[in-house]
Amino acid sequence: PRIGNSNAEQYPVLRRILSRHRKRNTAFFCKFYRIIQQIDHYLPCPNRVSPHLTGQIFIHADPQPQPLFLRLERGPEVVASIYGKVIESSEAEETDISTYAAALIECGRQTEAVAMLTSYLKEHLHSRLAIDVLLVLDRNIAEPYVRSIISAGFITEKDAVEWARGHVVHGQFGSAALVCLTYDEIKGFENDIAFMLEVCYFALRFEDVVRLYHAKYRLGQWPFLPAISFPFLMSLVRLGRREEALDEAQDILKSIRAYRRKHSNTELSAMFRLTPAATGSMVIGYMENLKNIIHALKSADNIAADDFDPMII
């Protein structure tokens, strides 16, 4: 197929894309053709994707395909060189800043990436994308910006949770915990406290888990969900407060048994929004895990936490 006035088959990246996406429409391929034009202006002649293409650089293509295209054909040093010039343009956008930072990181130039992002944030204080990248690089430097964007009212609790989840899926629990704890401090978490407890636990912020548990929950006032009690109990264990953890685990197990005697499996199913079979399996499994924790804490062998932590075994 022909795209614009040029034959797409002559460009290696487009040829690769065409072989995989024959059914895509012309608009799809035009995006990639525009990207070629945009990058080509800054490549030295021997490295040109198509040497006859010329023109001004305007970064308006979709942010996801653009970095992908660059990585398909160019190494991180070339990408960093290109985007270093792109961000000097008045046409530069937020996605260009994050792509440049990612390229610098891949080149091992983290200090430059941090400096570039903090410089950008001086003029774009509430750029969540720039803050997000900075969170990965240096949480201490990123924290004031996280605090600022939350204080300004740009982030709801749902936004904060989704923001944190974006870091959790990449194993960045420290960054996720920072977002959650900062939001809770400024605005207050109301609906996703269990998520916050788990995130803080895997970020090794055990003191915060215990503090939040005591601040948000009271025995007998909530349905005893594993996502709440397990981080709390195991945080006590990892803080060396094993006797306290044993007392709490026994109290929770006793309360669950009492709660279960007062409610049928059908009522519990409605509460948990699960089928009776799934509810029964969850409750029984939960109680067995609690018994395992109690057994380990009662043992004279001082069993290591990793050997009975229900969240990692």
Side-chain angles (χ1 to χ4, degrees):
R2 298 183 65 83
I3 300 177
N5 296 320
S6 302
N7 191 335
E9 295 285 358
Q10 66 184 293
Y11 306 128
V13 172
L14 287 179
R15 187 165 60 248
R16 189 182 310 172
I17 294 165
L18 284 167
S19 68
R20 298 180 182 178
H21 302 281
R22 286 287 178 183
K23 295 181 180 179
R24 295 292 184 113
N25 58 30
T26 303
F28 172 81
F29 296 112
C30 284
K31 292 178 183 177
F32 285 89
Y33 180 70
R34 286 199 299 274
I35 294 169
I36 289 176
Q37 290 179 305
Q38 293 164 9
I39 319 174
D40 194 71
H41 180 69
Y42 284 112
L43 286 174
C45 241
N47 294 326
R48 289 275 174 98
V49 178
S50 53
H52 67 278
L53 290 175
T54 57
Q56 296 297 316
I57 184 163
F58 296 100
I59 303 300
H60 288 306
D62 287 353
Q64 296 305 316
Q66 188 170 312
L68 172 62
F69 169 81
L70 285 170
R71 293 171 195 280
L72 282 171
E73 288 296 311
R74 308 294 167 195
E77 289 288 354
V78 176
V79 176
S81 175
I82 293 169
Y83 272 88
K85 296 172 183 175
V86 168
I87 66 169
E88 295 174 0
S89 166
S90 60
E91 299 289 337
E93 297 181 359
E94 190 180 49
T95 52
D96 303 321
I97 301 299
S98 63
T99 301
Y100 182 41
L104 290 174
I105 294 167
E106 288 187 32
C107 295
R109 296 157 62 183
Q110 284 88 346
T111 303
E112 288 180 60
V114 170
M116 183 272 295
L117 288 165
T118 51
S119 175
Y120 178 78
L121 284 165
K122 287 178 182 177
E123 296 184 8
H124 306 83
L125 184 61
H126 298 139
S127 169
R128 182 166 149 185
L129 186 55
I131 296 171
D132 223 19
V133 180
L134 192 55
L135 267 171
V136 177
L137 290 171
D138 193 316
R139 288 195 295 275
N140 290 331
I141 294 177
E143 183 174 2
Y145 299 104
V146 174
R147 185 173 296 277
S148 177
I149 196 172
I150 292 173
S151 298
F154 294 120
I155 302 293
T156 65
E157 180 177 335
K158 183 179 179 181
D159 294 331
V161 169
E162 289 307 310
W163 189 0
R165 286 190 195 280
H167 287 279
V168 167
V169 296
H170 296 293
Q172 298 156 0
F173 291 100
S175 297
L178 176 59
V179 170
C180 290
L181 290 169
T182 303
Y183 188 91
D184 185 57
E185 177 190 339
I186 296 172
K187 301 288 187 179
F189 258 66
E190 296 180 2
N191 302 312
D192 289 284
I193 302 164
F195 170 76
M196 179 166 56
L197 287 179
E198 284 197 271
V199 165
C200 288
Y201 181 76
F202 285 102
L204 310 182
R205 301 189 66 151
F206 306 127
E207 292 282 5
D208 285 312
V209 173
V210 174
R211 174 183 59 81
L212 289 166
Y213 179 91
H214 286 303
K216 307 286 186 179
Y217 298 107
R218 291 293 180 272
L219 194 60
Q221 295 180 343
W222 55 285
F224 296 93
L225 300 177
I228 295 169
S229 60
F230 287 161
F232 168 61
L233 294 173
M234 294 310 302
S235 289
L236 289 174
V237 173
R238 294 184 186 279
L239 290 169
R241 297 157 61 176
R242 295 172 77 100
E243 286 297 325
E244 185 180 349
L246 175 58
D247 291 341
E248 293 282 1
Q250 290 174 325
D251 285 345
I252 292 173
L253 181 58
K254 180 180 177 181
S255 296
I256 291 174
R257 285 170 170 163
Y259 193 86
R260 197 179 178 202
R261 283 195 295 268
K262 295 177 182 177
H263 297 83
S264 68
N265 204 43
T266 302
E267 291 174 320
L268 292 174
S269 298
M271 177 189 301
F272 295 126
R273 297 182 180 180
L274 298 171
T275 64
T279 299
S281 298
M282 186 192 78
V283 173
I284 292 170
Y286 181 25
M287 292 172 67
E288 289 302 314
N289 273 303
L290 283 170
K291 291 176 185 177
N292 190 49
I293 291 172
I294 292 168
H295 173 76
L297 292 173
K298 283 183 174 181
S299 172
D301 296 331
N302 195 29
I303 299 172
D306 284 358
D307 292 338
F308 62 93
D309 186 336
M311 293 172 287
I312 63 173
I313 59 176

